[in-house]
Amino acid sequence: MADLITMDDLTNEEIVELLDTAQRLLPVAKGDVYAPLLQGKVLGNLFFENSTRTRMSFETAMKRLGGEVLNLSSIGSSVAKGETLYDTMQMVNGYSDIAVIRHPRQGAAQYSADAVEIPILNAGDGAGNHPTQTMLDLFTIREAHGTLEGLNVMLVGDLRFGRTTHSLSHALVRFGATLMLVSPKSLRMPAEIVSDLRARGKDVTETENLSAEINSADVIYMTRIQKERFPDEDEYTKVAGTYKLTAGDLDGAKGSMIVMHPLPRVNELCASVDSTKHARYFEQAFNGVPTRMALLCRSLGIKVPKKVA
Ligand code: CP
């Protein structure tokens, strides 16, 4: 069974194949074509942390492919009575064919995968990884630039706790990206990730200055400073509001440059950017549907035909 816990679980060839599959599934994702490839299959959607996009796009993906979804969260389940993750996973193993898990604890997705037979997809484990987000991010970048190869990408904001940037940076350097990591000092990308990126990648620069490289960027990937991960609220207050990208900041940007954000945003990405040609974040969130369809099919061993319609 094919789990997806980190981007290390996919080769570059598998990533490209999944993006191609997602491309073919776009009409199904939009609801223009019905393709019940997952009829009779049940997805366990397990969210022990808040989510709008990941939970809903997995549910949409499963339903548009004819499958069924069981939703479980900490509230309203026996987790609130103290049931362990191990025991909960044994139940999910019996009730569903595949499970998606989001959990506040780093390593919880791997722990769950080790505990059950069914495939597990990591939908975010604490400040660890978020590989299904990376797949939709890569899809969005490829749609905009026609390639994943050799792009200049700025990752901005909370790179310490930001699991989306941990997974995405890893994938991007494998496709030859030049990375500019922009964060306050206290929220720098963990040193072990930076050294891994440098060992694999072309060029990785760290800075606190958002404006310096905007004009040479192909992608600006903004992220929220994650208040919920700070052990001390005073530490959060010191860095909250450090970056605020506005439409005016993009005046000298390349015409093809895209602004992305995994969302939700707080105040780091101003609404003025929404109406520029650079904004891609709402499209990016929608791209969760076709990419997660492709991932569900892969993990369940379902072949997606070359012609879906
Ligand atoms: N991008 C993302 O993970 O969004 P949600 O937290 O709403 O799922």
Side-chain angles (χ1 to χ4, degrees), residues 4-10 109 121-125 128-138 163-164 167-168 292 295:
L4 179 60
I5 308 300
T6 75
M7 290 307 289
D8 270 332
D9 293 327
L10 297 170
L121 304 181
N122 181 5
D125 61 329
N129 291 275
H130 196 349
T132 72
Q133 174 75 39
T134 292
M135 290 304 296
L136 72 93
D137 292 341
L138 295 176
R163 57 196 175 200
T164 62
S167 293
L168 180 60
R292 288 174 170 134
L295 288 167

Side-chain angles (χ1 to χ4, degrees), residues 213-229:
E213 299 295 331
I214 285 180
N215 295 357
S216 61
D218 297 305
V219 177
I220 301 177
Y221 192 95
M222 299 298 296
T223 64
R224 175 178 66 95
I225 295 184
Q226 299 186 55
K227 186 177 183 184
E228 68 274 23
R229 306 233 183 269

Side-chain angles (χ1 to χ4, degrees), residues 38-284:
L38 299 184
Q39 199 162 40
K41 300 290 185 190
V42 176
L43 166 69
N45 225 8
L46 318 178
F47 281 80
F48 300 99
E49 237 186 18
N50 295 335
S51 170
T52 295
R53 282 148 288 275
T54 312
R55 186 177 62 75
M56 290 180 71
S57 62
F58 263 116
E59 184 156 355
T60 302
M62 195 67 188
K63 288 183 170 172
R64 291 225 191 268
L65 288 171
E68 303 285 339
V69 181
L70 301 175
N71 279 297
L72 180 140
S73 63
S74 313
I75 301 163
S77 73
S78 288
V79 173
K81 301 176 198 163
E83 187 159 38
T84 63
L85 180 58
Y86 182 86
D87 284 1
T88 303
M89 293 311 299
Q90 301 316 306
M91 303 308 107
V92 175
N93 193 50
Y95 300 150
S96 48
D97 301 295
I98 184 168
V100 165
I101 180 166
R102 170 169 292 186
H103 200 281
R105 205 169 67 231
Q106 194 167 338
Q110 184 63 64
Y111 175 85
S112 302
D114 292 342
V116 296
E117 299 296 319
I118 59 171
I120 298 294
L121 304 181
N122 181 5
D125 61 329
N129 291 275
H130 196 349
T132 72
Q133 174 75 39
T134 292
M135 290 304 296
L136 72 93
D137 292 341
L138 295 176
F139 186 87
T140 305
I141 292 170
R142 197 179 74 158
E143 286 283 278
H145 288 290
T147 181
L148 294 175
E149 304 284 343
L151 299 168
N152 286 334
V153 182
M154 293 175 74
L155 302 177
V156 184
D158 182 354
L159 307 185
R160 175 178 169 196
F161 297 118
R163 57 196 175 200
T164 62
T165 60
H166 298 169
S167 293
L168 180 60
S169 58
H170 174 90
L172 285 169
V173 293
R174 285 167 48 186
F175 287 97
T178 300
L179 295 186
M180 173 75 68
L181 306 180
V182 184
S183 71
K185 266 200 177 69
S186 63
L187 296 179
R188 283 168 70 169
M189 184 80 85
E192 65 275 15
I193 298 183
V194 176
S195 43
D196 179 54
L197 295 174
R198 290 205 167 115
R200 292 166 186 264
K202 270 174 62 179
D203 195 8
V204 179
T205 312
E206 292 182 276
T207 178
E208 289 177 66
N209 184 356
L210 170 60
S211 55
E213 299 295 331
I214 285 180
N215 295 357
S216 61
D218 297 305
V219 177
I220 301 177
Y221 192 95
M222 299 298 296
T223 64
R224 175 178 66 95
I225 295 184
Q226 299 186 55
K227 186 177 183 184
E228 68 274 23
R229 306 233 183 269
F230 281 73
D232 176 349
E233 188 155 347
D234 285 348
E235 289 304 309
Y236 169 73
T237 309
K238 280 184 203 159
V239 288
T242 305
Y243 302 117
K244 282 188 171 62
L245 190 73
T246 67
D249 294 331
L250 307 179
D251 284 346
K254 289 183 190 176
S256 59
M257 187 278 291
I258 59 169
V259 176
M260 298 174 67
H261 193 307
L263 303 177
R265 61 177 156 180
V266 184
N267 51 16
E268 64 283 349
L269 177 55
C270 297
S272 63
V273 179
D274 296 3
S275 53
T276 70
K277 64 185 172 197
H278 305 290
R280 282 297 184 288
Y281 27 92
F282 295 129
E283 190 179 317
Q284 176 188 356

Side-chain angles (χ1 to χ4, degrees), residues 23-37 60-61 63-66 289 293 305 307-309:
Q23 182 73 44
R24 297 205 300 282
L25 287 166
L26 260 178
V28 187
K30 289 177 179 164
D32 295 337
V33 170
Y34 183 57
L37 297 169
T60 302
K63 288 183 170 172
R64 291 225 191 268
L65 288 171
V289 180
M293 282 178 164
K307 198 161 167 47
V308 179

